[in-house]
Amino acid sequence: MAKLFTFGCSYTADYDLISDVYQKYYQFRNNNFPRVWGKVLSDLLQYEHLNYGVRSNSNDAIFSSFIEHIDDYKSGDMVIVQWSYVHRYRWVYYVSDEWVSIGA
């Protein structure tokens, strides 16, 4: 089965119950979430959906994720990158020594 790879920020990411806003939305919708746009498209195309969207993702983080999965793309697959805002960026937080996205 062909695959649809999606990369981006919160406009692409799956919903989660970590955020208070998403919890309230989930409850408002009688304990379910609507399908994200990538899932809607993959269902229409009959592709397997692999979603690598992350809330507050910066463009360099999106690009890094795209490159990280480059060996997974096969002929017939579809890759869509939804770029984020230019004011988002990431840097290494010296306390935890990990990448942190800024400018959400």
Side-chain angles (χ1 to χ4, degrees):
M1 172 182 271
K3 297 177 183 175
L4 170 64
F5 294 84
T6 55
F7 299 88
C9 64
S10 58
Y11 291 113
T12 300
D14 286 320
Y15 297 100
D16 61 50
L17 291 172
I18 296 170
S19 163
D20 288 343
V21 173
Y22 283 156
Q23 286 178 14
K24 290 176 184 175
Y25 184 53
Y26 185 74
Q27 291 169 356
F28 174 77
R29 290 187 42 87
N30 296 317
N31 297 329
N32 71 359
F33 285 123
R35 297 178 300 164
V36 295
W37 67 263
K39 181 63 177 154
V40 172
L41 181 59
S42 68
D43 288 349
L44 287 170
L45 297 172
Q46 297 181 350
Y47 281 33
E48 177 184 351
H49 184 217
L50 299 164
N51 190 350
Y52 296 102
V54 177
R55 289 186 303 134
S56 300
N57 232 0
S58 63
N59 286 326
D60 56 334
I62 293 167
F63 184 68
S64 291
S65 182
F66 168 78
I67 294 299
E68 184 178 306
H69 295 279
I70 205 159
D71 290 333
D72 299 335
Y73 313 142
K74 306 294 182 228
S75 179
D77 290 345
M78 185 180 298
V79 177
I80 299 177
V81 178
Q82 174 263 309
W83 297 110
S84 188
Y85 299 100
V86 296
H87 68 274
R88 287 184 176 167
Y89 58 94
R90 67 181 180 166
W91 59 292
V92 175
Y93 184 49
Y94 70 94
V95 173
S96 59
D97 195 32
E98 64 184 354
W99 287 106
V100 178
S101 291
I102 302 296

